[in-house]
Amino acid sequence: MTATAKTAPARRAPADNDAAAPEERQVQVHLRKIPLLAELSDEEIIRVKQDLRYRQYSKRDIVLQKGGHGDGLMFLLSGQLQVIDVTEDGRAIGLRMLAPGDFFGEIALINNSTRSASVVAMSDALVAFLPAATAMHLFAHSPSVATHMLKHLAQKIQRDSEFRSLLSINNTAKRIYTYLVLMQKNKQPEPGVPAVVENLPTHQDIANMINTSRETVTRALTALAQQGIVQKDAHRLIIVKPDALQKLVQGS
């Protein structure tokens, strides 16, 4: 972010004062490896490190609950998380996966609003929590953080727009192919160069995200592998022929 067979059910995480939080001295955290914090001054790094609180989550724990207050910014340090939403009929829809170095909870924090989605641990995970006051100070006074956040929000808007377009595709196979192209695009490979998608979600997670069945995803990926377009290797997917995959998306 390993992935569970299903997005749900999830266990409720312990209350903050009960959560298993490692002592800071026991956690080796290199803050400059987190893209959002990479260009902070030494003084800013020290301030952030002093304010960070570490929280350990087990597989299927709820890290953030939809509707909760945006009281801080979260950083995934290890493990894999999934952002999910729940439809009116109770179905859990996976929105995206989070990998180490990613941050989340920024929208509710910036808007001073409630969480718009839940976040569930797909494996044991270590998360760093930065209180709202410190995070907002960084947004207002650190040019590097502000610039990174603006780029992140612009990419989020574009990604959400692309995802809405994906869900409007009636042909299920094309929907799967388009999803893989979007994952490839996120890795920004050079034209014609194979793209490696690390920590590939399970077939069930992909099915949840694009509104289809696990069996349909399995058949589509198997067909792509038989055509030599992709190779599956443990928890990653190698898109060997990006151009061929793009042609399938275009229907040619």
PDB file of all heavy atoms in Angstrom, residues 107-135:
ATOM      1  N   ILE A 107      -8.552  16.443   3.358  1.00  0.00           N
ATOM      2  CA  ILE A 107      -9.739  17.198   2.942  1.00  0.00           C
ATOM      3  C   ILE A 107     -10.538  17.672   4.156  1.00  0.00           C
ATOM      4  O   ILE A 107     -10.892  18.849   4.279  1.00  0.00           O
ATOM      5  CB  ILE A 107     -10.634  16.353   2.020  1.00  0.00           C
ATOM      6  CG1 ILE A 107      -9.861  15.930   0.758  1.00  0.00           C
ATOM      7  CG2 ILE A 107     -11.889  17.143   1.634  1.00  0.00           C
ATOM      8  CD1 ILE A 107      -9.389  17.085  -0.093  1.00  0.00           C
ATOM      9  N   ALA A 108     -10.823  16.754   5.070  1.00  0.00           N
ATOM     10  CA  ALA A 108     -11.574  17.129   6.275  1.00  0.00           C
ATOM     11  C   ALA A 108     -10.785  18.127   7.112  1.00  0.00           C
ATOM     12  O   ALA A 108     -11.363  19.023   7.741  1.00  0.00           O
ATOM     13  CB  ALA A 108     -11.901  15.885   7.100  1.00  0.00           C
ATOM     14  N   LEU A 109      -9.460  17.988   7.121  1.00  0.00           N
ATOM     15  CA  LEU A 109      -8.620  18.906   7.882  1.00  0.00           C
ATOM     16  C   LEU A 109      -8.684  20.313   7.301  1.00  0.00           C
ATOM     17  O   LEU A 109      -8.908  21.294   8.023  1.00  0.00           O
ATOM     18  CB  LEU A 109      -7.175  18.398   7.875  1.00  0.00           C
ATOM     19  CG  LEU A 109      -6.127  19.298   8.526  1.00  0.00           C
ATOM     20  CD1 LEU A 109      -6.436  19.495  10.001  1.00  0.00           C
ATOM     21  CD2 LEU A 109      -4.730  18.705   8.345  1.00  0.00           C
ATOM     22  N   ILE A 110      -8.503  20.425   5.993  1.00  0.00           N
ATOM     23  CA  ILE A 110      -8.498  21.735   5.343  1.00  0.00           C
ATOM     24  C   ILE A 110      -9.872  22.391   5.428  1.00  0.00           C
ATOM     25  O   ILE A 110      -9.991  23.598   5.665  1.00  0.00           O
ATOM     26  CB  ILE A 110      -8.047  21.596   3.877  1.00  0.00           C
ATOM     27  CG1 ILE A 110      -6.572  21.171   3.818  1.00  0.00           C
ATOM     28  CG2 ILE A 110      -8.243  22.907   3.116  1.00  0.00           C
ATOM     29  CD1 ILE A 110      -6.087  20.796   2.425  1.00  0.00           C
ATOM     30  N   ASN A 111     -10.926  21.600   5.246  1.00  0.00           N
ATOM     31  CA  ASN A 111     -12.289  22.140   5.261  1.00  0.00           C
ATOM     32  C   ASN A 111     -12.868  22.273   6.667  1.00  0.00           C
ATOM     33  O   ASN A 111     -13.974  22.798   6.833  1.00  0.00           O
ATOM     34  CB  ASN A 111     -13.229  21.246   4.442  1.00  0.00           C
ATOM     35  CG  ASN A 111     -12.985  21.359   2.957  1.00  0.00           C
ATOM     36  OD1 ASN A 111     -12.383  22.322   2.495  1.00  0.00           O
ATOM     37  ND2 ASN A 111     -13.439  20.379   2.206  1.00  0.00           N
ATOM     38  N   ASN A 112     -12.122  21.751   7.655  1.00  0.00           N
ATOM     39  CA  ASN A 112     -12.652  21.688   9.023  1.00  0.00           C
ATOM     40  C   ASN A 112     -14.026  21.012   9.027  1.00  0.00           C
ATOM     41  O   ASN A 112     -15.005  21.494   9.610  1.00  0.00           O
ATOM     42  CB  ASN A 112     -12.757  23.086   9.642  1.00  0.00           C
ATOM     43  CG  ASN A 112     -13.041  23.032  11.141  1.00  0.00           C
ATOM     44  OD1 ASN A 112     -12.687  22.061  11.816  1.00  0.00           O
ATOM     45  ND2 ASN A 112     -13.700  24.059  11.664  1.00  0.00           N
ATOM     46  N   SER A 113     -14.074  19.876   8.329  1.00  0.00           N
ATOM     47  CA  SER A 113     -15.329  19.149   8.158  1.00  0.00           C
ATOM     48  C   SER A 113     -15.160  17.713   8.639  1.00  0.00           C
ATOM     49  O   SER A 113     -14.115  17.345   9.194  1.00  0.00           O
ATOM     50  CB  SER A 113     -15.737  19.160   6.677  1.00  0.00           C
ATOM     51  OG  SER A 113     -14.746  18.529   5.879  1.00  0.00           O
ATOM     52  N   THR A 114     -16.194  16.896   8.426  1.00  0.00           N
ATOM     53  CA  THR A 114     -16.119  15.488   8.814  1.00  0.00           C
ATOM     54  C   THR A 114     -15.492  14.660   7.706  1.00  0.00           C
ATOM     55  O   THR A 114     -15.439  15.077   6.546  1.00  0.00           O
ATOM     56  CB  THR A 114     -17.519  14.939   9.128  1.00  0.00           C
ATOM     57  OG1 THR A 114     -18.364  15.111   7.980  1.00  0.00           O
ATOM     58  CG2 THR A 114     -18.127  15.671  10.320  1.00  0.00           C
ATOM     59  N   ARG A 115     -15.008  13.488   8.057  1.00  0.00           N
ATOM     60  CA  ARG A 115     -14.372  12.583   7.089  1.00  0.00           C
ATOM     61  C   ARG A 115     -15.390  12.135   6.041  1.00  0.00           C
ATOM     62  O   ARG A 115     -16.506  11.743   6.384  1.00  0.00           O
ATOM     63  CB  ARG A 115     -13.815  11.352   7.792  1.00  0.00           C
ATOM     64  CG  ARG A 115     -12.895  11.646   8.980  1.00  0.00           C
ATOM     65  CD  ARG A 115     -11.570  12.196   8.557  1.00  0.00           C
ATOM     66  NE  ARG A 115     -10.646  12.327   9.697  1.00  0.00           N
ATOM     67  CZ  ARG A 115      -9.484  12.957   9.639  1.00  0.00           C
ATOM     68  NH1 ARG A 115      -9.095  13.526   8.513  1.00  0.00           N
ATOM     69  NH2 ARG A 115      -8.700  13.027  10.701  1.00  0.00           N
ATOM     70  N   SER A 116     -14.988  12.183   4.778  1.00  0.00           N
ATOM     71  CA  SER A 116     -15.898  11.828   3.691  1.00  0.00           C
ATOM     72  C   SER A 116     -15.836  10.344   3.338  1.00  0.00           C
ATOM     73  O   SER A 116     -16.634   9.849   2.544  1.00  0.00           O
ATOM     74  CB  SER A 116     -15.575  12.653   2.443  1.00  0.00           C
ATOM     75  OG  SER A 116     -14.235  12.437   2.034  1.00  0.00           O
ATOM     76  N   ALA A 117     -14.857   9.618   3.901  1.00  0.00           N
ATOM     77  CA  ALA A 117     -14.718   8.187   3.630  1.00  0.00           C
ATOM     78  C   ALA A 117     -14.007   7.551   4.816  1.00  0.00           C
ATOM     79  O   ALA A 117     -13.468   8.242   5.684  1.00  0.00           O
ATOM     80  CB  ALA A 117     -13.943   7.958   2.338  1.00  0.00           C
ATOM     81  N   SER A 118     -14.037   6.236   4.852  1.00  0.00           N
ATOM     82  CA  SER A 118     -13.333   5.494   5.892  1.00  0.00           C
ATOM     83  C   SER A 118     -12.017   4.958   5.336  1.00  0.00           C
ATOM     84  O   SER A 118     -11.843   4.835   4.122  1.00  0.00           O
ATOM     85  CB  SER A 118     -14.187   4.326   6.399  1.00  0.00           C
ATOM     86  OG  SER A 118     -15.373   4.797   7.007  1.00  0.00           O
ATOM     87  N   VAL A 119     -11.101   4.645   6.240  1.00  0.00           N
ATOM     88  CA  VAL A 119      -9.826   4.031   5.865  1.00  0.00           C
ATOM     89  C   VAL A 119      -9.654   2.775   6.700  1.00  0.00           C
ATOM     90  O   VAL A 119      -9.791   2.816   7.931  1.00  0.00           O
ATOM     91  CB  VAL A 119      -8.641   4.991   6.084  1.00  0.00           C
ATOM     92  CG1 VAL A 119      -7.323   4.290   5.763  1.00  0.00           C
ATOM     93  CG2 VAL A 119      -8.788   6.248   5.230  1.00  0.00           C
ATOM     94  N   VAL A 120      -9.379   1.662   6.027  1.00  0.00           N
ATOM     95  CA  VAL A 120      -9.270   0.362   6.687  1.00  0.00           C
ATOM     96  C   VAL A 120      -7.886  -0.221   6.456  1.00  0.00           C
ATOM     97  O   VAL A 120      -7.322  -0.100   5.357  1.00  0.00           O
ATOM     98  CB  VAL A 120     -10.346  -0.610   6.147  1.00  0.00           C
ATOM     99  CG1 VAL A 120     -10.181  -1.995   6.760  1.00  0.00           C
ATOM    100  CG2 VAL A 120     -11.737  -0.067   6.439  1.00  0.00           C
ATOM    101  N   ALA A 121      -7.320  -0.840   7.489  1.00  0.00           N
ATOM    102  CA  ALA A 121      -6.015  -1.492   7.369  1.00  0.00           C
ATOM    103  C   ALA A 121      -6.169  -2.813   6.623  1.00  0.00           C
ATOM    104  O   ALA A 121      -6.950  -3.669   7.029  1.00  0.00           O
ATOM    105  CB  ALA A 121      -5.420  -1.729   8.749  1.00  0.00           C
ATOM    106  N   MET A 122      -5.420  -2.958   5.527  1.00  0.00           N
ATOM    107  CA  MET A 122      -5.438  -4.203   4.754  1.00  0.00           C
ATOM    108  C   MET A 122      -4.335  -5.149   5.201  1.00  0.00           C
ATOM    109  O   MET A 122      -4.231  -6.277   4.738  1.00  0.00           O
ATOM    110  CB  MET A 122      -5.297  -3.893   3.267  1.00  0.00           C
ATOM    111  CG  MET A 122      -6.316  -2.883   2.749  1.00  0.00           C
ATOM    112  SD  MET A 122      -8.020  -3.401   3.071  1.00  0.00           S
ATOM    113  CE  MET A 122      -8.190  -4.688   1.843  1.00  0.00           C
ATOM    114  N   SER A 123      -3.476  -4.675   6.085  1.00  0.00           N
ATOM    115  CA  SER A 123      -2.422  -5.471   6.702  1.00  0.00           C
ATOM    116  C   SER A 123      -2.082  -4.775   8.016  1.00  0.00           C
ATOM    117  O   SER A 123      -2.627  -3.710   8.317  1.00  0.00           O
ATOM    118  CB  SER A 123      -1.182  -5.535   5.794  1.00  0.00           C
ATOM    119  OG  SER A 123      -0.582  -4.252   5.707  1.00  0.00           O
ATOM    120  N   ASP A 124      -1.209  -5.356   8.804  1.00  0.00           N
ATOM    121  CA  ASP A 124      -0.718  -4.622   9.964  1.00  0.00           C
ATOM    122  C   ASP A 124      -0.081  -3.332   9.460  1.00  0.00           C
ATOM    123  O   ASP A 124       0.654  -3.339   8.459  1.00  0.00           O
ATOM    124  CB  ASP A 124       0.310  -5.447  10.732  1.00  0.00           C
ATOM    125  CG  ASP A 124      -0.323  -6.642  11.447  1.00  0.00           C
ATOM    126  OD1 ASP A 124      -1.572  -6.669  11.548  1.00  0.00           O
ATOM    127  OD2 ASP A 124       0.411  -7.529  11.891  1.00  0.00           O
ATOM    128  N   ALA A 125      -0.361  -2.218  10.116  1.00  0.00           N
ATOM    129  CA  ALA A 125       0.096  -0.927   9.595  1.00  0.00           C
ATOM    130  C   ALA A 125       0.533  -0.015  10.724  1.00  0.00           C
ATOM    131  O   ALA A 125      -0.010  -0.054  11.830  1.00  0.00           O
ATOM    132  CB  ALA A 125      -1.022  -0.261   8.788  1.00  0.00           C
ATOM    133  N   LEU A 126       1.527   0.813  10.422  1.00  0.00           N
ATOM    134  CA  LEU A 126       1.992   1.843  11.342  1.00  0.00           C
ATOM    135  C   LEU A 126       1.671   3.201  10.735  1.00  0.00           C
ATOM    136  O   LEU A 126       2.053   3.484   9.602  1.00  0.00           O
ATOM    137  CB  LEU A 126       3.496   1.726  11.598  1.00  0.00           C
ATOM    138  CG  LEU A 126       4.102   2.782  12.529  1.00  0.00           C
ATOM    139  CD1 LEU A 126       3.507   2.666  13.931  1.00  0.00           C
ATOM    140  CD2 LEU A 126       5.624   2.623  12.589  1.00  0.00           C
ATOM    141  N   VAL A 127       0.952   4.024  11.489  1.00  0.00           N
ATOM    142  CA  VAL A 127       0.490   5.326  11.004  1.00  0.00           C
ATOM    143  C   VAL A 127       0.991   6.416  11.938  1.00  0.00           C
ATOM    144  O   VAL A 127       0.996   6.244  13.164  1.00  0.00           O
ATOM    145  CB  VAL A 127      -1.059   5.350  10.933  1.00  0.00           C
ATOM    146  CG1 VAL A 127      -1.568   6.755  10.609  1.00  0.00           C
ATOM    147  CG2 VAL A 127      -1.559   4.349   9.894  1.00  0.00           C
ATOM    148  N   ALA A 128       1.425   7.521  11.363  1.00  0.00           N
ATOM    149  CA  ALA A 128       1.818   8.691  12.155  1.00  0.00           C
ATOM    150  C   ALA A 128       0.700   9.728  12.068  1.00  0.00           C
ATOM    151  O   ALA A 128       0.197  10.017  10.982  1.00  0.00           O
ATOM    152  CB  ALA A 128       3.131   9.267  11.649  1.00  0.00           C
ATOM    153  N   PHE A 129       0.334  10.290  13.217  1.00  0.00           N
ATOM    154  CA  PHE A 129      -0.736  11.283  13.303  1.00  0.00           C
ATOM    155  C   PHE A 129      -0.131  12.635  13.638  1.00  0.00           C
ATOM    156  O   PHE A 129       0.579  12.786  14.637  1.00  0.00           O
ATOM    157  CB  PHE A 129      -1.738  10.864  14.380  1.00  0.00           C
ATOM    158  CG  PHE A 129      -2.795  11.894  14.677  1.00  0.00           C
ATOM    159  CD1 PHE A 129      -3.938  11.969  13.896  1.00  0.00           C
ATOM    160  CD2 PHE A 129      -2.644  12.786  15.729  1.00  0.00           C
ATOM    161  CE1 PHE A 129      -4.919  12.924  14.170  1.00  0.00           C
ATOM    162  CE2 PHE A 129      -3.615  13.731  16.007  1.00  0.00           C
ATOM    163  CZ  PHE A 129      -4.755  13.801  15.220  1.00  0.00           C
ATOM    164  N   LEU A 130      -0.407  13.640  12.795  1.00  0.00           N
ATOM    165  CA  LEU A 130       0.070  14.999  13.015  1.00  0.00           C
ATOM    166  C   LEU A 130      -1.133  15.867  13.374  1.00  0.00           C
ATOM    167  O   LEU A 130      -2.059  16.010  12.567  1.00  0.00           O
ATOM    168  CB  LEU A 130       0.759  15.541  11.766  1.00  0.00           C
ATOM    169  CG  LEU A 130       1.486  16.886  11.902  1.00  0.00           C
ATOM    170  CD1 LEU A 130       2.649  16.760  12.881  1.00  0.00           C
ATOM    171  CD2 LEU A 130       1.989  17.364  10.545  1.00  0.00           C
ATOM    172  N   PRO A 131      -1.158  16.456  14.566  1.00  0.00           N
ATOM    173  CA  PRO A 131      -2.318  17.255  14.984  1.00  0.00           C
ATOM    174  C   PRO A 131      -2.632  18.376  14.008  1.00  0.00           C
ATOM    175  O   PRO A 131      -1.746  18.891  13.309  1.00  0.00           O
ATOM    176  CB  PRO A 131      -1.882  17.807  16.349  1.00  0.00           C
ATOM    177  CG  PRO A 131      -0.853  16.837  16.839  1.00  0.00           C
ATOM    178  CD  PRO A 131      -0.125  16.371  15.617  1.00  0.00           C
ATOM    179  N   ALA A 132      -3.896  18.777  13.999  1.00  0.00           N
ATOM    180  CA  ALA A 132      -4.381  19.771  13.041  1.00  0.00           C
ATOM    181  C   ALA A 132      -3.590  21.072  13.095  1.00  0.00           C
ATOM    182  O   ALA A 132      -3.251  21.649  12.061  1.00  0.00           O
ATOM    183  CB  ALA A 132      -5.868  20.036  13.290  1.00  0.00           C
ATOM    184  N   ALA A 133      -3.287  21.552  14.286  1.00  0.00           N
ATOM    185  CA  ALA A 133      -2.603  22.845  14.411  1.00  0.00           C
ATOM    186  C   ALA A 133      -1.248  22.826  13.727  1.00  0.00           C
ATOM    187  O   ALA A 133      -0.874  23.763  13.003  1.00  0.00           O
ATOM    188  CB  ALA A 133      -2.451  23.210  15.892  1.00  0.00           C
ATOM    189  N   THR A 134      -0.484  21.750  13.926  1.00  0.00           N
ATOM    190  CA  THR A 134       0.843  21.656  13.312  1.00  0.00           C
ATOM    191  C   THR A 134       0.721  21.510  11.802  1.00  0.00           C
ATOM    192  O   THR A 134       1.475  22.130  11.036  1.00  0.00           O
ATOM    193  CB  THR A 134       1.617  20.453  13.889  1.00  0.00           C
ATOM    194  OG1 THR A 134       1.651  20.550  15.308  1.00  0.00           O
ATOM    195  CG2 THR A 134       3.037  20.422  13.359  1.00  0.00           C
ATOM    196  N   ALA A 135      -0.219  20.673  11.359  1.00  0.00           N
ATOM    197  CA  ALA A 135      -0.402  20.464   9.915  1.00  0.00           C
ATOM    198  C   ALA A 135      -0.808  21.770   9.231  1.00  0.00           C
ATOM    199  O   ALA A 135      -0.257  22.122   8.172  1.00  0.00           O
ATOM    200  CB  ALA A 135      -1.452  19.381   9.679  1.00  0.00           C
TER     201      ALA A 135
END
